[in-house]
């Protein structure tokens, strides 16, 4: 958590480093971001993928901008960053978009990542979202209330884990599946509102 720079010798054939951030030699993969490096960060254009866990647990990261070239994001790459308040995406990226600092698939059907340090008491997931990806809200300790839209069908694994301030969630009748450990360590959760009938709830 105190690591602020990763440097690579010029002769290394596999990796390179730019401003202390580790990339593949051809600069198409962002491999690792130092956990203690402070401030906002813009990923260079030309990067097509972010490795698994690349930014996870970065205690100094406050804002992140993704380039138009980005095609894939590894599992848990952006989760549990306690000071991260926004994720922005270049407008011409064909795969991802950002609304209010929250990361979505381009077609707005998947909510991919909600910043760990985003200070918002209540968040209403936009209509049209049908799936919340694994780990999407993990580690956010500011959010107290979440409203899910009608039409959402799936909540992924470990989505709300360690959301220690979450006290209330509203679930629409369209929800079909909640994956494992979705509410692990949501120690303050006391109200779950279901909008369907009792018969639907039993089913």
């Amino acid at each position: 958590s105190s690591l602020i720079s990763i440097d690579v010798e010029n002769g290394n054939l596999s990796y390179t480093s730019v401003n202390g951030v580790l990339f593949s030699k051809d600069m198409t993969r962002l491999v690792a971001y130092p956990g203690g490096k402070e401030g906002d960060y813009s990923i260079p254009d030309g990067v097509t993928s972010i490795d698994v866990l690349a930014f996870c647990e970065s205690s100094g990261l406050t804002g992140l901008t993704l380039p138009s070239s980005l095609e894939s994001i590894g599992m848990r790459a952006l989760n549990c960053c306690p000071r991260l308040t926004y994720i922005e995406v270049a407008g011409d990226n064909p795969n991802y978009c950002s609304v209010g600092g929250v990361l979505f698939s381009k077609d707005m059907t998947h909510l991919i990542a909600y910043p760990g340090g985003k200070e918002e008491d209540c968040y209403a997931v936009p209509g049209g979202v049908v799936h919340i990806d694994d780990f999407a809200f993990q580690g956010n300790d500011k959010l107290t209330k979440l409203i899910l839209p009608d039409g959402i069908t799936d909540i992924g694994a470990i989505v709300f884990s360690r959301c220690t301030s979450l006290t209330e969630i509203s679930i629409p009748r369209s929800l079909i599946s909640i994956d494992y450990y979705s509410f692990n360590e949501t120690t303050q959760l006391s109200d779950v509102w279901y909008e369907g009938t009792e018969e639907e709830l039993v089913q």
Side-chain angles (χ1 to χ4, degrees), residues 1-4 33-41 55 57-63 80-84:
S1 60
S2 297
L3 183 67
I4 59 172
Y33 184 88
K37 185 177 175 67
E38 296 197 353
D40 297 349
Y41 182 69
F55 289 89
E57 306 279 357
S58 292
S59 60
L61 184 67
T62 53
C80 296
C81 298
R83 294 173 59 194
L84 180 64

Side-chain angles (χ1 to χ4, degrees), residues 18-19 21 23 27 30 33 37-47 50 55 61-70 78 84 86-90:
V18 179
N19 296 324
V21 181
F23 297 88
M27 288 289 295
L30 191 154
Y33 184 88
K37 185 177 175 67
E38 296 197 353
D40 297 349
Y41 182 69
S42 295
I43 297 176
D45 199 29
V47 172
I50 300 174
F55 289 89
L61 184 67
T62 53
L64 181 65
T65 301
L66 309 182
S68 58
S69 56
L70 190 67
L78 308 176
L84 180 64
Y86 72 86
I87 302 169
E88 296 292 347
V89 183

Side-chain angles (χ1 to χ4, degrees), residues 121-191:
D121 292 336
C122 177
Y123 181 67
V125 175
V129 171
V130 297
H131 183 80
I132 299 180
D133 285 10
D134 296 351
F135 307 99
F137 287 81
Q138 186 187 30
N140 182 289
D141 61 0
K142 311 292 191 303
L143 190 64
T144 61
K145 180 180 180 180
L146 184 72
I147 302 170
L148 301 180
D150 189 35
I152 195 167
T153 59
D154 301 281
I155 293 175
I158 319 180
V159 167
F160 304 108
S161 175
R162 293 162 58 184
C163 291
T164 52
S165 296
L166 186 64
T167 60
E168 183 178 346
I169 185 170
S170 176
I171 296 176
R173 64 175 61 193
S174 60
L175 189 68
I176 297 170
S177 173
I178 300 175
D179 214 330
Y180 65 92
Y181 296 126
S182 288
F183 295 94
N184 185 47
E185 295 185 73
T186 52
T187 53
Q188 301 300 314
L189 185 62
S190 57
D191 294 300

Side-chain angles (χ1 to χ4, degrees), residues 89-139:
V89 183
D92 55 349
N93 185 296
N95 305 295
Y96 303 103
C97 70
S98 174
V99 177
V102 181
L103 182 64
F104 298 87
S105 59
K106 190 67 173 186
D107 61 5
M108 290 289 293
T109 60
H110 283 237
L111 191 159
I112 298 170
Y114 185 91
K118 186 175 176 63
E119 296 195 17
E120 194 168 26
D121 292 336
C122 177
Y123 181 67
V125 175
V129 171
V130 297
H131 183 80
I132 299 180
D133 285 10
D134 296 351
F135 307 99
F137 287 81
Q138 186 187 30

